[in-house]
Amino acid sequence: MRRLKLAILVVLALFLVYGGGSWYIVSQATKAERLMIKQTPASVELQYQSVDFLSRDGSVKLKGWYIKPENQKGVLIMVHGIDSNKADQEVGYLKLTRDLYDRGIGVFLFDLREHGESDDGKLSGDQFEQQDLLGAFDWVLKQVIPPQKIGV
C-alpha cells in the first residue's frame, strides 16, 4: 500500500511539473516584447497616411502607415517579425520603403497584434497573425488597388 501511495505521489508530481512547465512555455510563446516606434516615414522624407483598421476577423484594432507615390505601380504590404514593429531600425523597413517609393511602389507598413502601436491580442505563431495580414490586404483593396498589383 505504501508503494502505491508513493507511486501516485510521484506520478502526480511529474504531472504538475510537466503541466506547469508546459503552461509557462505556452504563456511566454503567446506574448511579444513590444518595441516602441522611434521613427516614422517622415524620417526618410516620405509623406504618409496613418491608418487604423481591423484584423479580418475583427478581433484586434491594428495600426499602419500607407505611403503612396504619385504614379503608383502597385503596393507592397510589409509584415514584420516577432518582437519587432513596422519601423524597426535594425531591419531597415523605412530605408526599404524609401527605395520602393523611389521606384513607384506604394508601401503599407503595419504592426501585427501585440506589437508597436497595434492593440493587444494573443500571438499564435501564424493562425491569428494571418487574420492581421488579411485585414491589411482588405484595407489596401479598399484603396482601389487591383489584387494583382498587391504584394506581401
Side-chain angles (χ1 to χ4, degrees), residues 25-149:
I25 289 169
V26 168
S27 70
Q28 294 306 303
T30 59
K31 293 180 181 176
E33 182 178 331
R34 189 179 296 268
L35 297 178
M36 300 317 295
I37 303 293
K38 295 181 181 175
Q39 294 184 320
T40 69
S43 307
V44 291
E45 301 176 4
L46 291 172
Q47 292 184 354
Y48 63 100
Q49 175 185 354
S50 289
V51 173
D52 293 344
F53 64 100
L54 293 174
S55 61
R56 183 175 276 178
D57 63 8
S59 65
V60 180
K61 183 177 167 188
L62 305 167
K63 303 228 178 218
W65 297 324
Y66 181 45
I67 297 95
K68 181 180 179 182
E70 271 188 50
N71 297 313
Q72 182 169 269
K73 298 174 187 174
V75 175
L76 180 67
I77 300 171
M78 290 181 36
V79 185
H80 62 77
I82 192 164
D83 297 338
S84 185
N85 64 41
K86 63 185 176 264
D88 193 326
Q89 290 174 281
E90 288 185 35
V91 179
Y93 293 121
L94 294 175
K95 288 180 184 178
L96 178 57
T97 297
R98 177 79 227 189
D99 290 343
L100 291 164
Y101 176 89
D102 290 343
R103 289 168 175 75
I105 305 295
V107 178
F108 188 69
L109 297 148
F110 75 99
D111 289 320
L112 291 165
R113 63 186 63 219
E114 192 83 17
H115 290 83
E117 299 174 315
S118 289
D119 286 352
D120 292 342
K122 282 202 172 194
L123 301 181
S124 66
D126 201 28
Q127 180 182 356
F128 301 139
E129 293 79 5
Q130 78 176 334
Q131 295 298 313
D132 298 350
L133 174 56
L134 291 169
F137 184 81
D138 294 342
W139 188 90
V140 172
L141 277 175
K142 289 178 185 171
Q143 308 317 299
V144 195
I145 309 295
Q148 65 271 21
K149 298 259 184 185

Side-chain angles (χ1 to χ4, degrees), residues 1-21:
M1 187 61 132
R2 191 176 185 115
R3 285 187 180 182
L4 179 61
K5 286 182 181 179
L6 182 62
I8 290 171
L9 283 174
V10 168
V11 168
L12 185 58
L14 287 173
F15 176 76
L16 289 173
V17 168
Y18 179 78

